[in-house]
Structures are given as structure tokens and as C-alpha cells.
Amino acid sequence: MMKILRMMAAILAMVAGAVPFAGAAEQAIFGPQKYDVKERHGKVNRYTGTFMAGEALYLIKIQNGDKLPERSDWIEFTLNGEKLLRDEKYGYRYIAGFVNMKKENTFEIVLKDDKPSGFRRPALPPRFVTLTVQPIAPALNKMHGMFGLNTWDGLAKYSETILKIKNADALSLALSASGLQNDVPARSDALRKLSDLKEQSAQDYLLITYGDVNCVPDVRGEAALALGVLGDKAVIPALIPGVLDPEEKVSIGSARALSFYREEDTQESLVKMLERLDFMRKDAAIRAIVSAGWKPVGTILKLAESTDRQVANTATRLLGGMQDPRATDLLLKLLNEPGTRDQSVIISALGDTKDPRAVEPLLKIANDHELRKGKQAELGEALANLGDQRAAEPIADMIKKADTRMSWDRLRVAYKKLTGKDFK
């Protein structure tokens, strides 16, 4: 487990030290040539050029600034009439292109800043891109495409990780999935097809892609799923934090990947993660798990009985979305014996279960003026979710006696959801 985590850290840092390749500046057949972003605030900076080469594979090095503030916001690059980089934002400091050249080659590079909103035109730091074309070592002659890098020294390690994929089809799909020359749907599709092959030698490549924060979320989410399909338990600690990724496609992909494993394999890591999170991040984890359809019921049941009130409430909220009889069993028990838990949370969770066994206990509370105090909105919504028309009368009564405007509004929505009619 620790070995995998150390491996990921090394890969993501793009540490140098793998097979050397030709690429020093003195070997360049063109450049390094610097192109400045002279026209600012969204205006286009267009540069063209020509260079001679042999009819062979060469390495294009595009360096976006020396420091983060010096990077062009947008880059477009065309070589011999083929658009290798679309007019998009690329978070990488370096882009490495493995491209077959002609004897005479023409290129166009287009740079621009973000266009500011309104009339504000702030002073901007100097920005530039440096272009170099150089030979490659024979060991890299199977690399084709444009690839993002966080450090230039990491190119050899990055290439080695791709090229060690044994299956030829899987290797081709990995190159397509990471190739910035392809649009996002094509890259995502390539990774899905790679996942279908279940090629174990692609695992290190998938870990790189999944952990690369500058990679587009669509592709990272597919990489997570591909890791889950491979089923190596050693990558579970890498997938668990992904449930909290701010990008929904990554968080849902991570949760779906974890659903491929046996619950006993993920329980310890998931419990540790949820227990250490603050309230807002717990909610984010819950949304990802529910949206992904991952149902680690036994783990969540265990957390719902935690002595930590916040952990218990978070897990209780999650139980409803599991729509599992075991979850309903515990929620019905907690409804009568909430302890330090928020009973409103239990009520809402029971509504989410869609389990008809929850109707009678909730109607009992809804029909009792004392028992329903402070929980009217949650009761109305839960009963509307359960769809039993007997709830129309108590919801109507709660609307008439609502103690806040917010509760009144929520109950009216619940009434219409249940009956299909506006409350009058």
C-alpha cells in the first residue's frame, strides 16, 4: 500500500532519472525561440515561422513562461496545417510534442490573455511562450502526440510509464487519451476503451492520469474507473481522497471505482476519511457517494452508530440514499431512539429510502402536534418522497400551522409533489 503511494508521489512530481533522451538546447534544429504576449486583455498575438528538418519524428518543446504569472492564458499551435493545440487553456508549464516532420515545416502559434470582464484593464506581467524543436532518442520513437508536463525533466519518466504498456492496442489508446491534440470527448472515449481491455501494465499510466490535477476532469474520472476495473487493492488509498475532489466528474468517478471493490477492502480507508472531515467536506463526500451509486452499506451503518454526533448525522443522512433494507431497519430504530442525533436528519433519510415501511412511523409523528414541532418541513418532504396519499391531510395541516415562512414554502412544495395540486 505504501509502495503504491510512494510510486504515485514520484510519478506526479515527474522526477527525472529515467532513460535519457536527446533534447538539450544545443541539439535543437529550431529555437529556443521566445514569443511574447504583446497585445493584452484578450487580443490575439499571432506568430508564424519555418524551419528545416529531416523526414523523421522530432520533439517539440513548448514552455509556457518561466513562472506561473508569465504564462499565456491561451495557446493555439498549428504545424504544417495540422492543429496540434486548440485555442484553449493548458494548465501545464510544458507541452511535449512528438511529431513527424517534413523537410520544410511551417508553424503558427497564437497566444492571448484572458479577456477581462467589464471595463477594468489591470496591469499585467510580461508573458511569453518559448518554442524549441529537437531530435529524440530511438527509445521514444513510439511516442506520438502532444502531452502536458509539470516539469521538463519528467518527460523521460512520463514516456517510460506509457511505453511500458505491453498491449499494443492499450498503448495506442493511452497515447490518444493523453494527447492534447485530441478533443476531450475523444480522449475520454479512448480511456473508456483502454479500461475495457483491463490491461494490468497500464496501471502506472492510469495512476499518473488520475492524479494529474492539470488533466481535464473528464479524463481523470475515466482513469479512476479504469483503476477500479483493474481491481488492485493497493490503489484504494489513492482513490479514497478522490471522492472529495472539487471536480464532480473526478469525485463521482472515484466513488464508482471504489464500488468495484469488496466493502471490507474499502471500509477502513473510508471510515478514516469521513471521521476526519469537517461538516462541509463530509457533505461533499456524501453527494459523491450517492451520485455515483456506490453503496458501502455496512460501512455507513457502522458510522451511523458512531458516538461522534457529527459523524453519526452525516452517515445517517447517507443511509437514505442507499435504499437498502438494512439501512431502513437502522433508521426506523433511530427514529424512536435518536440519542444525540438530529431527528430531522433521520426523518429526511427515511423519506429518501422509498421504503413503504417508513410511512406509518412518519405519519404518526406528522399527526402529533407536539412530536412534529421543529420538524414539519422535513416530515412533509419525507412523506411526499414516499408517495403515500394519506400524508396529504397532515401536510395540509402543517401548512396551515407553519411557524416560519421557509417551512411554509417547503411544505407547499411537498404538498404539490404528493398530490399534483397547489395547496389552497
Side-chain angles (χ1 to χ4, degrees):
M1 186 178 297
M2 291 303 296
K3 182 179 178 181
I4 282 286
L5 292 175
R6 286 195 295 269
M7 178 186 68
M8 273 198 70
I11 290 172
L12 295 176
M14 296 295 183
V15 178
V19 180
F21 62 94
E26 61 268 24
Q27 297 173 313
I29 64 168
F30 178 84
Q33 179 65 50
K34 181 179 175 184
Y35 300 97
D36 294 304
V37 185
K38 294 178 179 178
E39 299 294 326
R40 313 309 298 266
H41 305 114
K43 293 181 180 179
V44 169
N45 295 264
R46 191 182 306 275
Y47 298 95
T48 59
T50 303
F51 62 87
M52 306 302 292
E55 294 184 349
L57 187 70
Y58 282 81
L59 174 61
I60 299 172
K61 176 183 178 181
I62 297 176
Q63 178 177 340
N64 195 3
D66 285 330
K67 302 173 183 176
L68 185 59
E70 298 171 343
R71 299 184 190 181
S72 176
D73 290 320
W74 298 80
I75 301 177
E76 179 182 318
F77 182 69
T78 303
L79 178 69
N80 296 329
E82 181 182 0
K83 191 166 290 186
L84 297 179
L85 293 177
R86 290 170 174 76
D87 182 22
E88 292 180 5
K89 288 187 171 184
Y90 299 94
Y92 299 102
R93 184 178 176 188
Y94 299 95
I95 296 175
F98 294 84
V99 183
N100 286 308
M101 300 293 178
K102 302 178 181 179
K103 289 182 179 179
E104 184 175 347
N105 303 274
T106 60
F107 67 87
E108 179 181 79
I109 187 165
V110 180
L111 312 173
K112 61 185 177 183
D113 295 319
D114 280 331
K115 187 175 181 179
S117 58
F119 296 101
R120 187 169 175 267
R121 295 293 185 270
L124 296 172
R127 291 178 178 168
F128 61 92
V129 164
T130 305
L131 177 65
T132 310
V133 181
Q134 54 203 49
I136 65 164
L140 300 179
N141 62 11
K142 289 186 179 180
M143 292 290 291
H144 290 277
M146 307 291 288
F147 307 99
L149 297 167
N150 297 311
T151 70
W152 188 249
D153 285 344
L155 175 57
K157 183 65 177 178
Y158 180 79
S159 302
E160 181 186 29
T161 303
I162 292 178
L163 294 176
K164 77 176 187 179
I165 298 174
K166 296 176 182 178
N167 180 287
D169 290 337
L171 172 59
S172 177
L173 289 167
L175 291 170
S176 296
S178 289
L180 301 180
Q181 75 279 5
N182 299 320
D183 61 22
V184 172
R187 293 174 63 191
S188 300
D189 184 60
L191 233 166
R192 279 192 292 273
K193 290 176 180 176
L194 173 58
S195 176
D196 291 341
L197 295 178
K198 299 181 181 179
E199 176 58 42
Q200 291 291 338
S201 64
Q203 181 165 292
D204 287 351
Y205 161 73
L206 294 170
L207 281 166
I208 274 189
T209 306
Y210 172 65
D212 182 1
V213 295
N214 287 318
C215 183
V216 291
D218 308 61
V219 175
R220 290 182 65 206
E222 293 294 342
L225 278 169
L227 286 167
V229 168
L230 290 180
D232 185 350
K233 291 188 289 185
V235 305
I236 290 174
L239 290 169
I240 287 284
V243 175
L244 298 174
D245 196 279
E247 295 288 351
E248 185 179 38
K249 289 181 179 179
V250 180
S251 61
I252 290 178
S254 300
R256 286 179 178 166
L258 289 162
S259 72
F260 285 98
Y261 294 91
R262 296 182 305 170
E263 186 172 345
E264 53 264 40
D265 294 330
T266 61
Q267 185 173 96
E268 182 180 356
S269 296
L270 178 59
V271 169
K272 285 181 179 178
M273 181 187 74
L274 289 175
E275 285 182 336
R276 68 172 179 265
L277 297 179
D278 57 50
F279 180 74
M280 290 185 67
R281 290 182 7 122
K282 282 187 175 71
D283 273 358
I286 286 171
R287 286 194 296 272
I289 289 170
V290 172
S291 298
W294 180 27
K295 297 184 178 182
V297 180
T299 303
I300 304 305
L301 287 171
K302 180 179 177 181
L303 290 170
E305 296 189 281
S306 170
T307 54
D308 183 317
R309 184 174 184 273
Q310 190 178 73
V311 170
N313 279 333
T314 300
T316 301
R317 186 180 294 115
L318 181 56
L319 282 175
M322 297 287 169
Q323 295 184 4
D324 184 286
R326 292 171 293 168
T328 306
D329 291 342
L330 180 58
L331 288 169
L332 289 172
K333 174 186 172 184
L334 295 177
L335 184 67
N336 295 321
E337 304 170 11
T340 59
R341 298 168 188 79
D342 186 339
Q343 195 178 38
S344 295
V345 171
I346 301 168
I347 290 168
S348 295
L350 279 167
D352 291 336
T353 64
K354 302 294 191 293
D355 191 322
R357 290 183 294 157
V359 174
E360 291 292 346
L362 292 180
L363 281 175
K364 180 180 178 181
I365 297 173
N367 284 313
D368 189 308
H369 291 197
E370 287 299 316
L371 292 177
R372 75 190 190 193
K373 278 184 181 178
K375 300 179 280 287
Q376 293 97 325
E378 288 79 10
L379 280 164
E381 290 166 347
L383 287 165
N385 285 339
L386 291 167
D388 192 306
Q389 293 302 313
R390 290 177 294 165
E393 186 175 340
I395 292 175
D397 187 56
M398 289 189 287
I399 293 172
K400 295 173 186 176
K401 297 173 183 177
D403 51 5
T404 67
R405 178 55 189 259
M406 183 180 293
S407 180
W408 184 79
D409 285 337
R410 288 170 64 185
L411 285 164
R412 284 174 62 88
V413 171
Y415 183 87
K416 185 169 184 178
K417 180 177 181 178
L418 179 65
T419 65
K421 303 174 183 177
D422 289 320
F423 177 78
K424 296 180 180 179

